Each structure stands twice: as C-alpha cells, then as structure tokens.
Amino acid sequence: MYGQTEATARISYVPPDRLGEKLGSVGLPMDNLMIRIVDDEGRELPAGQTGEIRCAVRRLLWIL
C-alpha cells in the first residue's frame, strides 16, 4: 500500500493474492484514481522508469 501526504491516505494497493508477483511494487491505483509517473517536465514516462508520482480523481480533468 502506498500513500503520500498530499493525497488521500492511500493511492494504491497490492491485492493479497498478488503479493509475490512484483516485489517492490506499490501496486494498483485505488478505485477512481489515475496515477502517472512523469519526468521533471510533466511528460509521462514508460513503465520501469523513475519519476514523480502524480495522481488525480477520475472525475476530474488532469490539471497537474
């Protein structure tokens, strides 16, 4: 489970039946959240890259 102080208490989770699949993973987005990993200029990064975590509620536009 992962959360950050600027967001809700939790933004992602790993289902119990998948705990051993990806060690070190923060898991899947919680319901109604969209998560992106972006570079210093806000461009979305491909899987496996290191960057800043950005999240938004699905009902809102991406304005980050």
Side-chain angles (χ1 to χ4, degrees):
M1 193 173 308
Y2 180 82
Q4 58 195 70
T5 56
E6 297 86 359
T8 180
R10 291 171 284 223
I11 63 170
S12 68
Y13 72 103
V14 177
D17 61 326
R18 297 179 69 185
L19 287 173
E21 286 182 25
K22 290 187 176 181
L23 297 177
S25 173
V26 297
L28 304 167
M30 299 294 281
D31 289 341
N32 295 322
L33 285 180
M34 295 182 296
I35 297 175
R36 292 196 291 182
I37 308 300
V38 299
D39 64 15
D40 291 338
E41 291 164 22
R43 293 181 299 241
E44 190 167 357
L45 294 170
Q49 297 295 309
T50 300
E52 178 179 326
I53 299 172
R54 291 197 181 172
C55 67
V57 177
R58 287 188 187 274
R59 295 183 195 140
L60 301 177
L61 297 174
W62 279 102
I63 57 171
L64 303 174

